[in-house]
Amino acid sequence: MTLIHMAPGRSAPVLGPTPNQVESLACYLSRGGYRSDVGPAELLARAEAVDLRGHGGAGFPTAVKLRAVRDGVGTPVVVANGEEGEPGSVKDRWLLRARPHLVLDGLIRAARITGADRAYVYLSDAAAERGVRAALAERDPGLPVYVVRTEPAYVAGEESAVVRCIDGGPALPKAKPPRVFEHGVGGAPTLVSNVETLARLALLALPVPSAGGSGAGGSALLTLSGTAGAAVLTERQFGVTLRQLAVIQGTFDPSAVLMGGLFGGLLPPDALDLPLDRTRLAEGGTGLGCGAIRFLAPDECPVSVAADAVDYLSVESSRQCGVCVSGTRALRDTLVALADGRCDADGVVKLARWAQGLPGRGACGLLDAAARLAGTLLAGFPHLVEAQRRSPCPVCAATPPDAGRRLRVPVPVPATDTSRPSRSTPACVG
Ligand code: SF4
C-alpha cells in the first residue's frame, strides 16, 4: 500500500487538493485548467525564468528542450512520457490515473510552443491508459493525440526507446546521435517529456503560476519507501533534507539511502542532511532522478540492497550492447559474492575498476546505474564492505537477490478508477 502524504500548510500544486480522487474535467476547469490567457511565448519565458527541469530522471532544462524541438527541421511531434520503469517510483502512473487533464493540458501547451501538429501519450499502465482515454473523450484537445501503450520495462521509458516504439518498433534504446529532438518520431524533431514536467508546464500557465521550478519555491513529486513503514507519495519543496523525508516515510534512523530510483546510488547516513537540491545532490555524487528515494532501516544491509538492485538491472538489460550484458552480469555476480561472504580482495578491486570504467559505455543509462550502485557502495560503506569480505552477513543471507522485488512500490488507486469502483462520484473540492 502507498499512502499519499500532504504537507500541512504547504502547497502541493501537482498533487492538487484531492489526490485520492480522479480529477474530472469540471474539477480541472474550476481550478483554472485549459485557460488560454497565457500564450506559447510567454509560457516558454516562464519555464525558463523558473528553471523548470525534467522530472523523469535527467533534469534537463525544459525551455532548452522546447526551443531545440521548435527550431528543428520539419514539423515537430510532442510526447508525454508516462512509462515509469523505475521499480521504486509511482508518481507518473498516479498522475496519469488521477490528473490526466493536467498532463494533457501541459502536452497541448508544449505542442503550441513547439508548433507540433500531433501528440502522443506513451505509457504501460492499463489504469493510466483508461484515465487518459476518458479525459480525451471529455474534451477535444484541438490536435490529434494518440495513446501508445507499451510493455513495462526498465528501459522502455528511455527517450529513444519511446520514439522507436511509437514508430512501430521495439521499446528499446538506440545509440546516439541522433538525439530525438533532431530526429525523433517519423524522423521529425520530437519532444519527449516526462508527464510530471508537462503537468508543471500547465501549472505555469495559471494566472498565478503555482508550479515553480527547480530552485526556491519549486517542488517535486517524490516516492518514498523503506523497510519500515508504508511507501509514501508526496510533493515537497526543494530544500527539504533527506533526513526530514526519512521521517515522513517512517524510517527514523536510516542506515543508508537509495537515491533517485536506481540512478543515484547508495548514500551513507552522513548524507542525510543533504537538501533536495539538484546542485547540492550532484556535488554529493548523487541525483534526484525520478524522485524515488528508499530509506534502509538499521537492520537492512546496503550490500544486500546493492546486490538486489544490480540483479534487477542485469535482468532488465535489453542485451543490445555487449558491454552491458557482460558488465551488469559481472557487477551482479561480484556483489552477490560479497553479500555471501565469498568475495576476495581482487573482487573488490574489480568492482572499483568497473564502477569507474563502465559508465557511458552503453546506449542508455542502465549500465551507468549498475556501476554507480557498486561505486557508491564501496565509497560510502568501506568498513562494511571489508567486514563482509571476511565473513558472511546474516542479513544478506536472509535477503538474497530477488530481481529487485523488495524495491517495487504499489501505485495508489484514486477513487472512481474503474479497477476499484467507488460508491459515489467524488465532489470537486479545492
Ligand atoms: S546499455 Fe544495456 S539496457 Fe541500455 S541499450 Fe545497451 S544493452 Fe540495453
Side-chain angles (χ1 to χ4, degrees), residues 114-136:
T114 57
D117 65 353
R118 65 191 194 280
Y120 294 84
V121 181
Y122 176 81
L123 42 71
S124 66
D125 179 48
E129 181 184 10
R130 285 195 296 275
V132 171
R133 289 194 186 281
L136 286 169

Side-chain angles (χ1 to χ4, degrees), residues 213-253:
S214 290
S219 58
L221 287 180
L222 303 170
T223 311
L224 310 176
S225 61
T227 355
V232 169
L233 172 65
T234 190
E235 182 172 6
R236 295 288 151 161
Q237 311 293 304
F238 285 103
V240 64
T241 65
L242 298 182
R243 191 182 302 283
Q244 289 170 313
L245 294 175
V247 171
I248 290 166
Q249 189 276 317
T251 303
F252 293 93
D253 190 17

Side-chain angles (χ1 to χ4, degrees), residues 380-405:
F381 306 87
H383 302 302
L384 182 65
V385 169
E386 188 54 24
Q388 201 135 325
R389 200 176 65 68
R390 295 173 186 281
S391 62
C393 160
V395 177
C396 290
T399 51
D402 190 16
R405 201 171 303 278

Side-chain angles (χ1 to χ4, degrees), residues 155 173 317-321 324 362-364 366-367:
V155 296
S317 166
S318 68
R319 306 193 187 292
Q320 300 182 107
C321 317
C324 179
C364 79
L366 182 144
L367 180 59

Side-chain angles (χ1 to χ4, degrees), residues 23-38 99-106 108-109 112 139 199 201-208 210 428 430:
E23 184 180 51
S24 67
L25 175 61
C27 280
Y28 187 59
L29 291 172
S30 75
R31 291 166 181 161
Y34 292 124
R35 286 175 61 140
S36 58
D37 31 7
V38 175
R99 303 198 72 188
H101 283 293
L102 180 60
V103 176
L104 290 172
D105 193 356
I108 294 161
R109 292 179 191 279
R112 291 201 188 113
R139 183 181 183 276
L201 188 68
L203 290 165
L204 282 174
L206 291 172
V208 180
S210 64
C428 176

Side-chain angles (χ1 to χ4, degrees), residues 81-87 89 93 122-126 148-158 161 165 171-172 312 315-316 408 411:
N81 186 4
E83 168 48 12
E84 191 167 44
E86 284 281 357
S89 181
R93 283 166 288 172
Y122 176 81
L123 42 71
S124 66
D125 179 48
V148 175
R149 184 155 154 215
T150 187
E151 288 299 313
Y154 190 76
V155 296
E158 193 272 346
C165 182
L172 300 176
Y312 169 80
V315 169
E316 288 290 312
R408 289 180 200 148
V411 186

